[in-house]
Structure formats: C-alpha cells, structure tokens
Amino acid sequence: MAIAEIWNQQAACRGLDPEIFYPVSEEEAEQAKAVCGQCAVQPSCLEHALGSRERDGVWGGATEKERRRIIRQRRRSG
C-alpha cells in the first residue's frame, strides 16, 4: 500500500454508510461534517479531494461547493 493511501485506513468514516457522505443538498451535509470534525486524518482527506478534484460528496469536512471555494482561494493567494 502506498504511503498516500494509508490515511484512509485511519479515517473516522471507515465502515460507515457511504450515503451519509453524499447528501442531496449542502444543508444535509451536517452529519458527514460532524464525522469529519472528529477525524484524525481530516486534513489528508481534504487534500486528497482537492488534489483529485472529487466532484461529489463530503470529503475532509468540505462539500463540493466548499472545496471549489478553497481551490479558488488558493489560486488567488498562490
């Protein structure tokens, strides 16, 4: 297993119903965000999602809309 893949073995979401992390709307993402908020590997998960341009779901405590905002902010400041 590659080092980059080790973080997901320690994720708080491991073994939970994936549907939690694919809410229908931004407003329904709170349950997933609560799990992410308690996760030791949340920063790695978020960076994975940003780097691979994950389009759907909550990754690293951020919805797709929030991830797009982070990417735009990084482009402006970089």
Side-chain angles (χ1 to χ4, degrees):
M1 180 177 302
I3 292 174
E5 297 173 0
I6 291 173
W7 66 267
N8 64 8
Q9 299 297 315
Q10 300 169 349
C13 62
R14 186 175 167 94
L16 296 180
D17 183 352
E19 287 189 31
I20 295 169
F21 300 93
Y22 293 91
V24 175
S25 68
E26 294 275 322
E27 294 77 27
E28 295 177 8
E30 294 308 313
Q31 184 179 9
K33 288 181 171 190
V35 173
C36 296
Q38 301 298 313
C39 185
V41 297
Q42 179 271 335
S44 297
C45 180
L46 179 58
E47 288 306 317
H48 163 79
L50 295 171
S52 62
R53 299 288 200 260
E54 288 290 345
R55 298 192 59 138
D56 299 313
V58 175
W59 289 81
T63 63
E64 180 202 356
K65 184 177 180 179
E66 293 166 333
R67 291 191 305 273
R68 285 193 316 255
R69 187 177 315 126
I70 292 167
I71 290 169
R72 281 193 308 270
Q73 289 172 343
R74 287 182 178 183
R75 283 183 189 148
R76 281 186 226 136
S77 62

